[in-house]
Amino acid sequence: FRSVSHMWESMEHPDPWGFQLRSIAARYREAGLDSVTWVFVDFMSLYQYKRSAEEDEFFRKGLNRMHWLYSHEIVQVDILSELTPEDKKFEGEIWVYNAVEDQVKPTQISELRLNNTPYELRGWCQSESEWSRLRMDVHGGCVPTPPDIFRKRMQRMRFTHRNDAEQVFLLQEKVFRDKCSRTSHLQLQELSADDLECLHGALQHYIQLQYIVVNGNTLKGQDAVAMLTSGAMDIQMESC
C-alpha cells in the first residue's frame, strides 16, 4: 500500500499538465512493482466537487482519518515535491468543476487559479510529510517533529483552499502523541546533528519505548545522554 503526498498546482485541479501523474507512474515503473499495489491519491481517492450529501459524509470521514494513510507502518509514502517545470507546461483544456455554472466543464488551463508555492511551504504537504516520519525506522531528515516545534514552523506555511492552520496544528499534535505513545521500538539511522537535536525533544513523548537501535550516527555526549534517559530498556549503538 502506498500513499502519494503531492501539491495542488491549481485550486481547481492538482495536476493541470499531467506532470505529477507521469512522474509517479515513472517512479513506480522504475521500482519494478510486480504485484497489485493500492495507491492513495487524494484527488482520485476522495470525492471531489460537486458532492452529494452522502459523498460529502464519506469525504469528511476520509479527511478525518487521512493521517492513517501516511503514518501507518505498512504504508510507503511517496513524496512528489517538484512543481511542473515551465518547459512541460502547455496551453489546453481540462475538465474541472465550475462553481458559478454548478457543473463540470472543459476549462482553459490559463483560466485556473494556479498555485506555485513550493512543497516545503505548503501546510497540508508538510503535515503529510510529518505523519510519514512517525515510524519505527527513523532515517536522516525524517525525524518526527514535536508539536511545539511544528507549530512554529507552520507559521510560514500556506494552504491551497483556505487557512487550515489551526486544524493542522491540532491534528498533527494528536497524531504525534498517539503514535509516539504506542511505539516501543526505534531504529535510528544516519541522523545529522540537526536531526539528533530534534530527536531530543521527541524522545520524551515515547512513553512506551523499550528498544533503541542507533546505527551510523555521529553522537555527541548530549545525544548519548538523551538515548540513555529515554526510558528504553535496551539500547544498541553501532558505528557511532
Side-chain angles (χ1 to χ4, degrees), residues 53-235:
E54 182 181 25
E55 290 170 345
D56 195 61
E57 181 181 358
F58 282 121
F59 172 81
R60 299 195 179 282
K61 285 182 177 179
L63 201 63
N64 290 335
R65 295 167 176 80
M66 194 163 61
H67 55 277
W68 294 351
L69 297 167
Y70 294 91
S71 63
H72 199 286
E73 296 290 341
I74 70 168
V75 179
Q76 178 170 330
V77 178
D78 297 297
I79 293 178
L80 294 180
S81 58
E82 184 182 3
L83 290 163
T84 303
E86 290 299 321
D87 62 351
K88 302 294 183 182
K89 295 180 179 179
F90 52 83
E91 296 181 1
E93 291 183 338
I94 57 172
W95 289 78
V96 299
Y97 175 71
N98 185 297
V100 175
E101 300 183 25
D102 192 25
Q103 63 174 322
V104 176
K105 58 176 292 186
T107 304
Q108 291 291 329
I109 295 177
S110 59
E111 296 177 9
L112 303 180
R113 288 166 288 184
L114 301 178
N115 184 348
N116 295 319
T117 303
Y119 184 92
E120 60 271 15
L121 291 180
R122 292 179 181 244
W124 280 111
C125 289
Q126 289 307 298
S127 297
E128 293 161 0
S129 177
E130 280 297 324
W131 296 335
S132 72
R133 299 179 180 194
L134 293 167
R135 310 299 181 92
M136 289 188 294
D137 288 332
V138 179
H139 296 266
C142 296
V143 174
T145 305
D148 56 333
I149 297 177
F150 180 76
R151 179 177 283 269
K152 291 178 182 178
R153 290 180 180 175
M154 287 293 288
Q155 298 299 330
R156 62 192 183 100
M157 299 299 164
R158 305 170 195 169
F159 295 85
T160 301
H161 287 281
R162 58 195 180 282
N163 187 1
D164 289 334
E166 190 59 29
Q167 179 184 356
V168 169
F169 292 148
L170 295 175
L171 185 56
Q172 190 270 345
E173 181 173 9
K174 175 182 180 297
V175 176
F176 177 89
R177 295 189 186 281
D178 179 65
K179 192 71 186 290
C180 288
S181 68
R182 293 186 291 107
T183 298
S184 59
H185 295 65
L186 278 181
Q187 175 94 22
L188 309 176
Q189 300 185 56
E190 300 178 351
L191 304 185
S192 67
D194 289 341
D195 291 331
L196 289 166
E197 184 177 352
C198 186
L199 185 65
H200 293 176
L203 279 175
Q204 62 184 300
H205 299 280
Y206 287 86
I207 58 178
Q208 299 294 332
L209 197 58
Q210 298 181 37
Y211 303 99
I212 300 178
V213 177
V214 190
N215 186 21
N217 304 287
T218 302
L219 301 182
K220 297 181 180 179
Q222 63 266 32
D223 302 323
V225 170
M227 308 288 177
L228 294 171
T229 57
S230 66
M233 297 181 296
D234 188 347
I235 302 174

Side-chain angles (χ1 to χ4, degrees), residues 18-33:
F19 175 75
Q20 296 181 31
L21 177 60
R22 293 192 298 273
S23 297
I24 199 64
R27 186 180 299 186
Y28 290 167
R29 196 174 295 117
E30 291 171 2
L33 300 179

